[in-house]
Amino acid sequence: MTTENGLAAGTPGSPVTFINVFEIAADELDAFVGKWEERARLMRDKPGFIDSRMHRARSSGSRFQLVNVSHWESQEAWEAATADPEFSSRTRAAREETKQPVTPNPAVYDVVVELTAPQGTGSRT
C-alpha cells in the first residue's frame, strides 16, 4: 500500500501506527488512564507525532480493557520519542504503581487495507 506522502508502507520514513493493548483490572482503569494521559502529553511535543487516542472497552469482561492507537510520521520518529528517559521512567512507574499487574502488548504496524465510507453515505454528522 502507498501512503498519502507517496511512500510504500514499511519503507524508512513512511507513517506508522503504534498500537498498545492493555490487560488491566477494572478497578485500576481510571487511575491508569490519568497517568497515561500525562505520559501521552510528553509524546505530543515530540517530532513526528501525529495523534493518539486511548480507547476503553464497553464491556468489563473484555480481555483488553484499554487500547491505545497512535500515529507517527515514521518508525524512526516513534523510536526516538520512546527512547526519552523521562517517558521510559514514567512508563515503568505506571506499571509498578498498580495493585495488580498491568500487561501492555505494544507493537508498530503498517496499514495494509484502508476502507472509508463512500461520499455522502456516512451516518456521521
Side-chain angles (χ1 to χ4, degrees):
M1 176 174 190
T2 302
T3 61
E4 284 186 20
N5 65 7
L7 294 172
T11 60
S14 66
V16 295
T17 302
F18 170 74
I19 301 174
N20 197 357
V21 294
F22 296 91
E23 294 178 77
I24 183 171
D27 62 335
E28 305 260 13
L29 283 170
D30 292 333
F32 185 85
V33 168
K35 294 289 187 182
W36 177 88
E37 188 172 1
E38 290 175 15
R39 291 187 307 279
R41 289 184 190 285
L42 286 174
M43 303 309 270
R44 181 176 58 184
D45 296 328
K46 300 292 183 191
F49 175 84
I50 297 172
D51 63 24
S52 187
R53 291 183 176 174
M54 177 67 85
H55 303 265
R56 185 176 185 157
R58 287 189 170 191
S59 168
S60 62
S62 294
R63 177 178 175 190
F64 301 113
Q65 287 296 302
L66 297 171
V67 177
N68 168 229
V69 180
S70 301
H71 297 100
W72 290 83
E73 290 178 359
S74 67
Q75 182 156 349
E76 296 80 9
W78 175 81
E79 289 172 353
T82 57
D84 180 303
E86 183 178 2
F87 177 77
S88 298
S89 172
R90 287 186 184 197
T91 299
R92 201 170 26 262
R95 286 195 305 266
E96 294 169 356
E97 290 173 357
T98 59
K99 297 175 207 146
Q100 298 177 34
V102 173
T103 305
N105 299 277
V108 175
Y109 296 86
D110 292 315
V111 174
V112 294
V113 176
E114 181 174 346
L115 301 173
T116 58
Q119 290 272 335
T121 62
S123 61
R124 289 184 157 175
T125 55

